[in-house]
Each structure stands twice: as C-alpha cells, then as structure tokens.
Amino acid sequence: MKKIMVLGCSLLVLAACKKESEEVKVDETKVETPVDSIAIKDTVAAHQIEAVPVATEATVVAETKTEPAAKTEAAKPALKYAAFGSKITADKALSKEQMTQKYASLKKGDTIDVKFKSKIMSVCKKKGCWMKMDLADNKESFIRFKDYGFFVPLNADNSDAVVSGKAFLDVISVDELKHYAKDGGKSQEEIDKITQPKITYAFQADGVLIQE
C-alpha cells in the first residue's frame, strides 16, 4: 500500500514539473519573439541607411566643375595689296595652273578676258613698264600695261600679284626680244644669243595688285 502511495505521489510531482516546464517554454517563446522581430527590423533599417549615398566634397566639386571653353582658331589676317591701274579685286582669280591651261587652249588671234594670280619673276629695271609672271610647266606670262597708263615698282620681283586684263598669244620679234632682255638687265652675251622670234603667252593688264 505504501508503495502505491509513493508511486502516485511521484507521478503527481512529475506531472507538475512537466506542466511548469511547458509554461516556461511558452513564456520564453513569447518573450523571444518580439526581440527577434526588433533585431530583424533594426538590421533592415541599418541596410537602408547604408544604401543612401552621402555627398562628399569631392562629389560636389566634380559636379560643379565646368569644362574650359573650346579654343577658337584665330582668324587669318586679310592680305594687303598695293594697287596699280584700274581698280580690281583678288577674289575669283585663277591659279597659275589654271591660267596655263587657258593659254594652251588659245590659237593665234584669240583673246580672252581673265584674271589670275601668281608670282612675279622679273620686272623692267628701267621704268617698271612690264613684268613676267610664273606659270606651270616652267612657262611664263609676259605682262604689259594698257596704254602704258601705269607702271609697277622696280623691286617687285618675287612678289605675289594679281593681274586682270586680256590674255592672248603674241609673236615677239628679235629686236623686241633684245630690247626686253636689255631692260631686264641681261648681259650683252645673253642678248647676242637671241636670233629667233618667240611666241609668248602675252597679257595686257588694266589692273594689278601686288601683295605687300
């Protein structure tokens, strides 16, 4: 009988301990759950704060920095010319290559009104009453001035010039060739070598521009 009573008491004590243990677990669960929830929320908030970019001084400087203005090419200065004879302009003047082609297409007796630009090869050293201008293929144009109405400087050799007037083919006699050779400062030996008339690319200029 005593054994039965002891066994019954033991079962009651065991049941009471088990119930108390379950209540403690329930309480722990209730308490721990809010803590875990708070921890998770804090972690999310921390990630959100870290994701927000913070403007630094370097960033502000980079954003406000302006690029230097593009450099503009300096405008080329306009060419200056000394003018002789009738008033003309330098625009739309043919090159020496184009003028050489014009002369090559001419026949004796043909005359064309034209304007071209090239370098002065030589000038009359007495009065400046004629000059020779460079053409392509080692050729030259013999320039005289309309009605001897004007002359060019004696030191205009090697200057760039623009001439406007009439271009044509001309046959220059031996006497004229010797005269021009003498005016051009040729030696007597060179003058004596002239024995044949010469077909020249002639030009009668009514206006001349010489680059200063």
Side-chain angles (χ1 to χ4, degrees), residues 75-83 88-93 117-118 159-162 209-212:
K76 293 182 179 179
L79 296 176
K80 293 184 178 181
Y81 294 92
I88 64 171
T89 61
D91 62 313
K92 298 182 180 180
K117 179 178 180 178
S118 187
S159 298
D160 289 328
V162 178
L209 297 175
I210 298 178
Q211 187 173 327
E212 296 180 340

Side-chain angles (χ1 to χ4, degrees), residues 107-125:
K107 301 186 296 291
K108 186 172 175 57
D110 292 343
T111 301
I112 58 172
D113 292 315
V114 68
K115 176 170 59 176
F116 78 97
K117 179 178 180 178
S118 187
K119 186 179 293 293
I120 298 173
M121 304 298 292
S122 59
V123 178
C124 172
K125 297 305 178 184

Side-chain angles (χ1 to χ4, degrees), residues 31-52:
V31 173
E32 289 175 358
T33 300
V35 173
D36 292 342
S37 177
I38 292 172
I40 292 171
K41 289 182 179 179
D42 290 343
T43 304
V44 173
H47 284 301
Q48 290 176 345
I49 292 173
E50 290 176 359
V52 176

Side-chain angles (χ1 to χ4, degrees), residues 140-164:
E140 61 187 18
S141 176
F142 187 75
I143 316 291
R144 286 174 284 196
F145 310 116
K146 185 178 180 180
D147 301 327
Y148 275 77
F150 61 95
F151 305 110
V152 295
L154 305 185
N155 62 348
D157 310 66
N158 299 314
S159 298
D160 289 328
V162 178
V163 292
S164 177

Side-chain angles (χ1 to χ4, degrees), residues 64-78:
T64 57
K65 184 179 179 181
T66 56
E67 294 185 0
K71 294 182 179 179
T72 56
E73 293 185 2
K76 293 182 179 179

